[in-house]
Amino acid sequence: MTKPFQFKTSDVSVEKRETVFQGFFRMDKLWLTHPRFDGRDMPVFTRELFIRGDATCVLPYDPERDEVVLLEQFRLGAMGRAQSPWLLELVAGMNEEGETPEEVAQREGQEEAGLTFSKLDKICEYLVSPGGSTELIHLYCGRISTESAGGLFGMEHEHEDIRAHVFSSEEAIAMIQDGRINNAAAIIALQWLQLNRTRIREGWD
């Protein structure tokens, strides 16, 4: 039985690369080839690659009250579907050069929800859409108190308009099941919380 991961980055040959769009984000076009599983070489083909950068997302959780904070904001990519383009999401932001994911988490917690995390538990890292984007998400669960959480936040010069909501963990998990929450970071984080909630509530070490 052949094991996975027999190929590496060095097995990919990029014949040509050019930037076809440069704005808030960047789009590159690549001409490339790589070996096939059957031993032949793939003919040179083209792909467009969205240069998105890495981001950090955090699920704010209060283990004493068993509550989470979720952010409601407009998302252009959700328009044109049979749902509202205002989504319930995690605290999130792009990683700037020189910043650690933990530093991004604390910065965005303040800017987007007025929250400071007393502890950050790493959930995972995952590639959002590796067929055409470079984006990698660093995903955390952050300990907070929801006693005074909630309200309106966001950086006006970045055109952010954010409402922070407090939900019980049970209600947030139910919103995955009925489709009210349908973005990947929130789904993964809330399902992780569902699996780890008892351990965290008994003692977040």
Side-chain angles (χ1 to χ4, degrees), residues 47-137:
R47 288 289 184 271
E48 286 75 39
L49 183 63
F50 184 30
I51 312 300
R52 181 71 165 84
D54 293 355
T56 296
C57 300
V58 190
L59 173 65
Y61 177 59
D62 183 335
E64 303 298 325
R65 294 178 172 80
D66 195 25
E67 293 176 333
V68 300
V69 175
L70 296 174
L71 310 184
E72 183 180 11
Q73 59 185 316
F74 171 75
R75 292 303 193 192
L76 179 61
M79 285 189 66
R81 301 185 181 276
Q83 66 173 81
S84 170
W86 275 260
L87 305 184
L88 286 173
E89 303 178 322
L90 307 183
V91 167
M94 300 300 297
N95 294 10
E96 302 294 340
E97 188 172 351
E99 277 187 309
T100 66
E102 291 81 7
E103 289 169 340
V104 178
Q106 296 291 2
R107 169 170 55 79
E108 294 296 333
Q110 279 294 312
E111 291 179 3
E112 296 191 336
L115 299 173
T116 298
F117 302 109
S118 60
K119 182 172 178 56
L120 287 165
D121 263 18
K122 185 71 170 284
I123 295 175
C124 67
E125 296 176 357
Y126 70 93
L127 292 161
V128 175
S129 186
S133 172
T134 61
E135 185 175 15
L136 177 81
I137 296 293

Side-chain angles (χ1 to χ4, degrees), residues 30-45:
L30 287 79
W31 288 255
L32 64 157
T33 181
H34 60 73
R36 295 168 54 108
F37 291 120
D38 63 10
R40 295 179 294 154
D41 286 333
M42 187 74 73
V44 174
F45 61 99

Side-chain angles (χ1 to χ4, degrees), residues 23-34:
F24 187 70
F25 299 114
R26 190 177 103 215
M27 181 78 73
D28 284 3
K29 185 172 184 178
L30 287 79
W31 288 255
L32 64 157
T33 181
H34 60 73

